[in-house]
């Protein structure tokens, strides 16, 4: 940078005040964003919670069973093992002892360490007779705390069991193949083997639905109209006006709590995104960012402000709402941060586990009342209900077409819950399995809270995304997964910005991924 600052007059090189050199500087313009959010995970205004959650499993099975059956039929139809032909069994209940067959069903993991509300209550029936205040304290100590700190549901030894079930019954699966394969509650599979004398099904092979068909780029581009008003064919090619290179910025885990460190690190982030940190290549890179997606946990865990009386003494905590204990600093700072970015950069905001949104999936958009300044950049739902503004508060999980690519992502709860079922720590492998299971939240509603859907199963992948990201993960990682029919999915785990200071950039031309790291150096650091 020093060479760029030199002047022709060496005698005046030490002077700060010099005459303008007459050089003209061009205006840096940010590339526009092609953005079409989908309402895949939006709930109706009139939500009902009277339904049974079991219907969701049957709905998932009915939706994915044809795909699994096709894969299994292609692999096993006509197959002979020791002069016995493998036959198809329609229901779990129709499996007969000693017969070589295959059947499709839903996996259920019977694990003693999984949270079970009924067992927790029955452990001490006398607890139900306690006063309300005591029960609330007991609930916090005995239900919430153990599950929050438990990283895995896996038990030592052969305690855990793998079941295959459908509407007719349940079958216990055994064998080395089962122990080697990654399985969680809720995934739909087909198994081939025989039932032994104990009534267990010894699995020889298994099949998954595999990666679904993938739409072409720009598949959601609206049809153009000809001169006579008829709709013309959809152009799948990149428009001529979109030749500039664009980048999608992904970030998660801001965990804003009003602390001074929030201001320092996030100010560096804002300056980078606005192109105000340095010049040259860094400014050019920021100029190419066409959209920012915040993938959950923008706010930290709620910590009420201490309540004090006029003399300054703390008031004893009471149950219920206390207006003076509400701490508005985190939401105010988040609103200020967004309002600084929005005049220059469109932002998509997803809720997360620690944000002010409903706990059960799919989490609905954060309310606009939380953002009195930023909501001015949002679309008016009364005038343009299907149009997204520069500030777009969306659901978690979230699906959209961005720069022609199908993008789907979550705030991290779905992957974190799958992680508890398996021995492996490879989160990209778990994301790949989600794609091959065709379900991004298989453990819902067993151990992951979700809405009791009756007519649709939004967590099932009908089409394969081009980009699949998950926020609030321990570290950044990425890979490309390929399907049997040419599908390619870029998997991305987004780290927590509060802990790592990292933001992920995706080149929307070739889908290559890079990381930019922000770090504060303390006094004395080299």
């Amino acid at each position: 940078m020093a060479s760029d600052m030199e002047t022709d007059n060496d005698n005046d090189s030490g002077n700060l005040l010099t005459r303008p050199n007459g050089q003209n500087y061009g205006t840096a313009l940010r590339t526009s964003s092609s953005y079409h959010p989908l309402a895949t995970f939006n709930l109706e205004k009139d939500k009902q919670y009277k339904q049974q959650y079991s219907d969701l499993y049957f709905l998932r099975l009915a939706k994915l069973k044809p795909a699994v059956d096709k894969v299994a039929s292609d692999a096993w139809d006509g197959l002979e093992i020791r002069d016995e032909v493998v036959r198809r069994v329609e229901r779990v209940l129709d499996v007969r002892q000693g017969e070589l067959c295959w059947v499709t069903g839903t996996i259920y993991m019977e694990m003693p360490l999984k949270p079970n509300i009924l067992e927790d209550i029955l452990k001490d029936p006398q607890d139900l007779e306690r006063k309300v205040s005591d029960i609330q304290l007991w609930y916090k100590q005995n239900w919430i705390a153990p599950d929050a700190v438990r990283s895995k549901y896996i038990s030592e030894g052969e305690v855990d069991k793998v079941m295959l079930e459908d509407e007719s019954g349940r079958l216990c699966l055994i064998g080395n193949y089962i122990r080697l394969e990654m399985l969680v509650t809720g995934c739909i599979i087909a198994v081939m083997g025989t039932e032994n004398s104990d009534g267990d099904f010894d699995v020889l092979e298994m099949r998954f639905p595999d990666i679904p068909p993938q739409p072409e780029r720009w598949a959601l581009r609206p049809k153009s109209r000809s001169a006579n008003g008829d709709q013309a064919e959809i152009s799948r090619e990149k428009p001529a006006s979109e030749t500039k290179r664009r980048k999608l910025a992904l970030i998660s885990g801001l965990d804003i709590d009003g602390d001074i460190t929030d201001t320092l690190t996030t100010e560096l982030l804002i300056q980078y995104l606005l192109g105000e940190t340095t010049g040259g290549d860094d400014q050019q890179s920021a100029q190419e960012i066409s959209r920012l997606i915040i993938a959950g946990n923008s706010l930290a865990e709620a910590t009420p402000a201490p309540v004090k009386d006029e003399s300054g003494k703390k008031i004893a905590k009471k149950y219920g709402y206390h207006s003076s204990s509400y701490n508005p600093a985190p939401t105010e700072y988040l609103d200020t941060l967004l309002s600084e970015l929005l005049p220059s950069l469109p932002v998509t905001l997803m809720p997360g586990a620690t944000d002010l949104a409903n706990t059960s999936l799919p989490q609905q958009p954060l309310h606009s009342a939380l953002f009195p300044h930023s909501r001015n950049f949002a679309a008016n739902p009364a005038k343009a209900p299907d149009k997204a503004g520069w500030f777009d508060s969306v659901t978690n999980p979230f699906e959209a077409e961005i720069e022609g690519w199908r993008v789907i992502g979550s705030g991290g709860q779905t992957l974190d819950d799958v992680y508890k079922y398996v021995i492996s720590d490879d989160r990209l492998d778990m994301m790949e399995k989600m794609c091959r299971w065709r379900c991004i939240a298989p453990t819902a509603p067993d151990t992951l809270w979700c809405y009791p859907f009756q007519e649709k199963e939004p967590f099932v992948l009908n089409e394969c995304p081009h980009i699949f990201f998950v926020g609030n993960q321990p570290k950044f990682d990425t890979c490309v997964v390929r399907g049997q029919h040419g599908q390619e999915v870029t998997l991305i785990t987004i780290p927590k910005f509060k802990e790592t200071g990292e933001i992920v950039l995706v080149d929307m031309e070739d889908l290559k991924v890079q990381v930019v790291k922000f770090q504060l150096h303390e006094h004395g650091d080299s």
Side-chain angles (χ1 to χ4, degrees):
M1 296 296 294
S3 60
D4 297 335
M5 305 278 297
E6 292 179 358
T7 61
D8 295 335
N9 191 346
D10 294 337
N11 296 329
D12 295 335
S13 60
N15 298 331
L16 294 177
L17 298 178
T18 59
R19 295 180 179 179
N21 57 14
Q23 182 177 354
N24 293 325
Y25 295 93
T27 302
L29 298 177
R30 189 180 300 277
T31 53
S32 60
S33 172
S34 174
Y35 174 73
H36 301 282
L38 303 179
T40 308
F41 302 100
N42 289 78
L43 298 178
E44 298 292 337
K45 296 292 183 181
D46 184 20
K47 297 183 286 293
Q48 299 292 331
Y49 290 88
K50 300 177 182 180
Q51 309 93 319
Q52 291 292 326
Y53 280 94
S54 59
D55 295 339
L56 182 60
Y57 285 117
F58 297 138
L59 183 63
R60 186 182 301 170
L61 178 60
K63 197 168 186 178
L64 290 177
K65 187 174 181 179
V68 181
D69 286 347
K70 185 180 184 306
V71 174
S73 296
D74 294 341
W76 298 328
D77 277 358
L79 178 65
E80 291 188 14
I81 300 178
R82 295 182 180 179
D83 298 329
E84 185 177 359
V85 179
V86 179
R87 71 180 185 92
R88 176 184 176 180
V89 173
E90 189 64 30
R91 303 183 306 162
V92 167
L93 193 62
D94 297 333
V95 174
R96 296 292 180 263
Q97 181 179 331
E99 293 184 359
L100 186 62
C101 62
W102 66 269
V103 63
T104 301
T106 306
I107 288 294
Y108 174 75
M109 305 294 294
E110 191 173 287
M111 312 174 83
L113 294 183
K114 282 197 310 181
N116 189 320
I117 186 172
L118 297 178
E119 290 184 1
D120 289 337
I121 291 177
L122 295 175
K123 284 178 182 178
D124 190 357
Q126 296 179 353
D127 289 327
L128 299 179
E129 301 178 1
R130 297 181 182 182
K131 294 185 299 181
V132 173
S133 59
D134 292 337
I135 291 177
Q136 289 174 334
L137 179 61
W138 177 82
Y139 182 94
K140 181 177 180 181
Q141 293 176 344
N142 293 276
W143 289 355
I144 299 300
D147 294 337
V149 299
R150 182 172 291 150
S151 60
K152 295 281 188 180
Y153 297 145
I154 301 172
S155 305
E156 296 181 0
E158 301 292 331
V159 179
D160 299 333
K161 295 181 180 180
V162 183
M163 304 289 185
L164 186 75
E165 64 180 15
D166 60 12
E167 64 278 2
S168 68
R170 180 180 289 183
L171 195 62
C172 182
L173 305 181
I174 62 172
N176 294 329
Y177 203 101
I178 288 294
R179 287 190 287 269
L180 296 176
E181 190 63 49
M182 182 185 296
L183 294 172
V184 301
T185 293
C187 59
I188 311 299
I189 69 168
V191 293
M192 186 265 288
T194 57
E195 185 181 25
N196 61 20
S197 58
D198 295 329
D200 299 331
F201 193 84
D202 194 353
V203 178
L204 302 179
E205 278 190 45
M206 69 175 60
R207 290 291 185 270
F208 306 108
D210 214 348
I211 298 177
Q214 189 172 51
E216 298 181 14
R217 189 180 182 187
W218 306 109
L220 296 183
R221 178 168 297 281
K223 293 184 178 181
S224 60
R225 292 192 176 273
S226 59
N228 59 5
D230 296 334
Q231 288 186 338
E233 291 295 326
I234 300 177
S235 174
R236 306 297 186 186
E237 302 297 329
K238 182 174 63 174
S241 60
E242 298 174 4
T243 56
K244 293 183 178 179
R245 185 170 293 275
R246 291 167 172 77
K247 293 181 180 179
L248 176 66
L250 301 172
I251 193 172
S252 68
L254 292 174
D255 285 343
I256 296 173
D257 57 8
D259 189 74
I260 186 63
T261 55
D262 290 337
T263 305
L264 296 175
T265 54
T266 53
E267 279 299 325
L268 287 176
L269 171 66
I270 293 173
Q271 291 177 13
Y272 171 77
L273 294 173
L274 296 178
E276 298 175 353
T277 49
T278 57
D281 295 339
D282 289 338
Q283 193 174 51
Q284 177 64 28
S285 178
Q287 182 180 335
E288 293 173 348
I289 298 175
S290 59
R291 177 166 291 272
L292 170 67
I293 296 180
I294 304 177
N297 289 15
S298 300
L299 302 174
E301 290 279 1
T303 52
V307 183
K308 299 181 180 180
D309 57 14
E310 296 180 356
S311 63
K313 296 182 179 180
K314 290 186 179 181
I315 302 176
K317 183 180 178 181
K318 299 179 180 179
Y319 289 106
Y321 171 74
H322 200 303
S323 60
S324 60
S325 66
Y326 171 66
N327 184 10
T331 53
E332 288 179 352
Y333 182 69
L334 176 61
D335 183 35
T336 302
L337 182 152
L338 294 174
S339 62
E340 290 183 26
L341 288 174
L342 284 167
S344 172
L345 178 66
V347 177
T348 298
L349 180 63
M350 296 171 55
T354 61
D355 292 320
L356 301 177
N358 56 301
T359 304
S360 59
L361 296 183
Q363 289 182 292
Q364 296 305 285
L366 295 172
H367 201 280
S368 59
L370 297 171
F371 311 103
H373 299 95
S374 303
R375 67 185 178 190
N376 295 324
F377 297 88
N380 188 336
K383 296 181 179 179
D386 298 329
K387 184 178 180 181
W390 271 48
F391 176 54
D392 193 20
S393 183
V394 299
T395 61
N396 171 33
F398 161 70
E399 186 177 16
E401 185 186 85
I402 305 177
E403 309 303 341
W405 305 107
R406 190 65 58 87
V407 178
I408 190 168
S410 79
Q413 300 100 311
T414 55
L415 184 57
D416 290 343
D417 203 56
V418 169
Y419 170 82
K420 297 178 181 181
Y421 280 81
V422 299
I423 299 176
S424 172
D425 293 334
D426 188 348
R427 301 200 175 221
L428 285 181
D429 190 25
M430 301 173 204
M431 292 176 66
E432 178 182 353
K433 287 295 189 294
M434 289 180 180
C435 293
R436 301 195 184 277
W437 294 333
R438 297 194 187 186
C439 188
I440 61 171
T443 59
D446 184 30
T447 52
L448 187 64
W449 292 357
C450 77
Y451 180 76
F453 292 98
Q454 295 292 299
E455 299 178 356
K456 66 174 184 177
E457 220 293 36
F459 303 121
V460 169
L461 291 175
N462 298 315
E463 294 181 318
C464 174
H466 299 96
I467 300 174
F468 179 24
F469 67 84
V470 178
N472 300 290
Q473 297 306 297
K475 65 176 183 178
F476 161 76
D477 210 348
T478 184
C479 72
V480 177
V481 174
R482 294 173 174 82
Q484 294 182 350
H485 304 286
Q487 309 99 312
E488 290 191 358
V489 191
T490 300
L491 307 180
I492 306 172
T493 58
I494 310 171
K496 298 179 181 179
F497 182 81
K498 184 69 172 288
E499 298 177 1
T500 64
E502 294 177 347
I503 180 173
V504 179
L505 301 181
V506 183
D507 191 315
M508 300 306 284
E509 186 60 33
D510 53 17
L511 300 186
K512 291 184 178 180
V513 185
Q514 67 179 109
V515 175
V516 178
K517 185 178 180 63
F518 302 87
Q519 187 173 0
L520 294 175
H521 292 278
E522 299 180 358
H523 181 71
D525 290 351
S526 56

